[in-house]
Amino acid sequence: MKLGNFSFDVPVFLAPMAGVTDTAYRILAHDMGCPLAYAEMVSSQGIHFRSERTLAMLQSEPKERPLAMQIFAARPEMAAEAAAYVEQLGTADILDFNMGCPAPKVTKNGEGSALLLDPDRAFRILSAVRKAIRMPFTVKMRKGWDEAHVNVVEMAKLAEAAGVDAITVHGRTREQFYSGTADWEIIAKVKQAVRIPVIANGDVRTEDDLDRIRSVTGCDGVMIGRAAQGNPWIFKRFTHYWRTGKCLPAPTMRDRAEMLMRHLDLLLAYKGDYIGSREMRKHATWYTRGITHGAILRNQFNKARTREDFARIVAAYF
């Protein structure tokens, strides 16, 4: 799969996830073989007003490149301005536009998946971004707003006409949020309707899922979201399977312990002791899903405040 000057022989990408796909996790994913990570979405309005928190989210490290930075906006002018700023900043290689976020605080402003209800405005936004930048430009969207408004095929055609280089489709409606089952058949219809690459997203957790979504959709690439939470090994496993057709063994308990502590150290390095240790709590609960006495362990992690706290819990259990 090609995006601009980038070529991916195993196009299995990390999805943008707010509060998850920060620099720390993107580095881990790249180390595990992820060829392209998408950063958590950034507000175009925040870029416009030079919000300190927003600008911090636009930073990156050389070891996580290539990197796709995702923005969201409600108006063409704001989107174009933000896109141009990201390109000029030089911390990302690909720009992605969000038309899939279901969060009420986003959709109430006419952003994210709310744009699926306004194809004309969505087309004007995508066209404005395309004119504002030269870097590869992708868009992520959902199946539709709800089952009465399933219009992703129409939206994909508009995106292609606007000059977008690739489309990621999450096979759920906004109304579903993350419940129910992703509709892979609708992704197949998008693939048949456009000539640009289509990246399939939704319910890909195992090697069997990877096989099936490629078979059902005919997609050019696959994007992994929630299945990657606390599981950066998924990229190593999927890359190996894509190339060989063979499954790697699951990570050992020692693998989990070492990765958890490395993730913590990266968070502490990039966000400081106070924020880093508190953000690590949710990641620690993901790393310990499915293990014996996991609930007790997660309760301990949720009270941890320092690196020493985490290290003591890990040493005692693992």
Side-chain angles (χ1 to χ4, degrees):
M1 176 180 165
K2 293 184 181 297
L3 273 177
N5 293 325
F6 297 99
S7 182
F8 306 101
D9 65 327
V10 183
V12 178
F13 308 137
L14 172 63
M17 291 179 282
V20 179
T21 55
D22 54 14
T23 291
Y25 189 77
R26 297 191 307 256
I27 289 174
L28 296 179
H30 269 289
D31 285 353
M32 287 292 106
C34 177
L36 177 65
Y38 280 70
E40 51 190 328
M41 68 179 188
V42 178
S43 165
S44 294
Q45 189 166 333
I47 293 174
H48 175 77
F49 289 108
R50 301 297 190 263
S51 159
E52 184 176 342
R53 181 176 179 275
T54 298
L55 298 185
M57 293 171 68
L58 295 176
Q59 299 306 307
S60 68
E61 294 288 341
K63 51 191 168 184
E64 56 175 312
R65 307 287 288 270
L67 171 68
M69 198 69 72
Q70 187 187 71
I71 62 172
F72 65 99
R75 295 187 290 110
E77 308 80 34
M78 192 73 78
E81 177 190 333
Y85 182 86
V86 171
E87 183 172 59
Q88 183 178 13
L89 192 62
T91 56
D93 307 283
I94 294 165
L95 186 89
D96 187 61
F97 188 77
N98 184 302
M99 284 173 47
C101 179
K105 66 179 181 180
V106 173
T107 59
K108 71 179 182 180
N109 297 321
E111 300 165 321
S113 56
L115 285 168
L116 299 171
L117 294 172
D118 194 342
D120 179 66
R121 183 161 56 92
F123 177 75
R124 287 188 284 113
I125 288 174
L126 297 177
S127 298
V129 171
R130 178 72 284 173
K131 291 175 183 176
I133 59 173
R134 299 179 64 183
M135 65 196 303
F137 174 36
T138 62
V139 62
K140 189 170 190 286
M141 60 181 69
R142 283 181 171 245
K143 174 181 175 179
W145 179 259
D146 54 28
E147 288 299 330
H149 301 86
V150 175
N151 63 340
V152 67
V153 173
E154 172 196 353
M155 299 303 292
K157 290 179 179 179
L158 289 176
E160 182 178 40
V164 169
D165 296 304
I167 302 168
T168 300
V169 179
H170 182 171
R172 286 182 172 85
T173 64
R174 186 269 177 180
E175 189 178 59
Q176 284 181 276
F177 277 72
Y178 301 98
S179 65
T181 303
D183 182 354
W184 292 352
E185 296 290 347
I186 197 69
I187 303 175
K189 292 179 181 178
V190 172
K191 175 59 185 169
Q192 294 162 8
V194 299
R195 294 182 297 275
I196 57 178
V198 173
I199 304 165
N201 177 223
D203 293 349
V204 183
R205 304 179 184 91
T206 67
E207 287 84 351
D208 181 59
D209 295 334
L210 184 65
D211 265 346
R212 290 190 300 108
I213 198 169
R214 294 175 66 195
S215 175
V216 170
T217 67
C219 62
D220 301 279
V222 178
M223 185 172 281
I224 311 299
R226 288 173 296 160
Q229 293 174 350
N231 185 23
W233 302 277
I234 196 170
F235 297 102
K236 181 178 181 180
R237 293 173 61 88
F238 280 6
T239 298
H240 182 80
Y241 183 75
W242 190 296
R243 289 173 172 159
T244 69
K246 298 179 180 179
C247 296
L248 288 173
T252 65
M253 296 298 278
R254 172 171 286 190
D255 292 333
R256 288 177 186 251
E258 290 177 350
M259 187 68 76
L260 190 157
M261 291 306 298
R262 183 169 179 234
H263 196 160
L264 172 62
D265 286 337
L266 285 168
L267 281 173
L268 296 178
Y270 289 110
K271 299 189 177 183
D273 292 347
Y274 183 85
I275 295 176
S277 60
R278 281 153 181 78
E279 287 197 3
M280 188 61 206
R281 292 171 179 172
K282 65 187 174 190
H283 293 286
T285 64
W286 291 328
Y287 279 113
T288 54
R289 280 184 299 202
I291 67 175
T292 304
H293 303 306
I296 296 173
L297 193 59
R298 286 189 285 276
N299 184 55
Q300 294 175 349
F301 279 132
N302 283 330
K303 297 175 182 176
R305 297 186 176 185
T306 66
R307 188 188 192 281
E308 289 70 29
D309 290 341
F310 281 98
R312 185 168 55 253
I313 297 167
V314 168
Y317 185 88
F318 291 95

